[in-house]
Amino acid sequence: MACRTNLCSVHGVLAISFVLLMPCVVAQKSLFFSNIPGDWCRTRSDPCCLDRQDDCSVPIFGTRCYCDEFCNRDDNPDCCPDYTPVCLGITPKPPPPLIVRNASKLLKSSYSNMPGAKDGLISFPLL
């Protein structure tokens, strides 16, 4: 059956866009969960589960994150933010401190006596 309008081309473009952009949306979801502070798996009576267990989950922002071994996969991981330290025993490396160069020029001289101030530099840990 031949297309008689431009509607078919619009549907084709939308279908291709959906197929190409969907992995980006899924990747963003899993990246978003990874940096949320708080206790998620830790709040469960049995914090970590073997294999795939759909009930081994915790509500998070209107959806669910998981605390089972299956969540920790390369393709679309959906582990809770604290899965790595709680279930794998791996403590995440803290981010490097934020360094403001020549802070004494930007701030009043009274701030140069702050803890962490040295030679015009003030370092602030990132949270």
Side-chain angles (χ1 to χ4, degrees):
M1 181 172 184
C3 243
R4 295 184 202 175
T5 65
N6 289 335
L7 189 58
C8 289
S9 61
V10 170
H11 284 283
V13 170
L14 289 175
I16 291 171
S17 298
F18 179 77
V19 169
L20 293 176
L21 295 176
M22 193 53 164
C24 298
V25 172
V26 171
Q28 282 298 97
K29 177 185 172 192
S30 62
L31 289 175
F32 178 72
F33 280 174
S34 66
N35 293 322
I36 300 171
D39 293 333
W40 305 95
C41 293
R42 194 179 321 269
T43 61
R44 293 177 38 81
S45 60
D46 182 16
C48 308
C49 306
L50 298 175
D51 301 318
R52 180 177 181 168
Q53 296 183 29
D54 291 338
D55 62 341
C56 189
S57 62
V58 178
I60 183 171
F61 301 115
T63 187
R64 301 196 79 70
C65 63
Y66 294 87
C67 304
D68 59 1
E69 292 175 326
F70 183 75
C71 77
N72 192 24
R73 60 193 186 281
D74 292 333
D75 182 36
N76 192 21
D78 53 2
C79 296
C80 293
D82 65 344
Y83 174 81
T84 302
V86 172
C87 298
L88 301 180
I90 300 171
T91 305
K93 187 172 131 180
L98 172 66
I99 296 177
V100 178
R101 301 203 179 275
N102 298 319
S104 59
K105 292 179 184 177
L106 299 173
L107 303 171
K108 293 181 179 179
S109 61
S110 62
Y111 288 99
S112 63
N113 295 329
M114 298 176 50
K118 182 178 178 184
D119 299 326
L121 299 176
I122 300 174
S123 66
F124 299 94
L126 294 175
L127 300 176

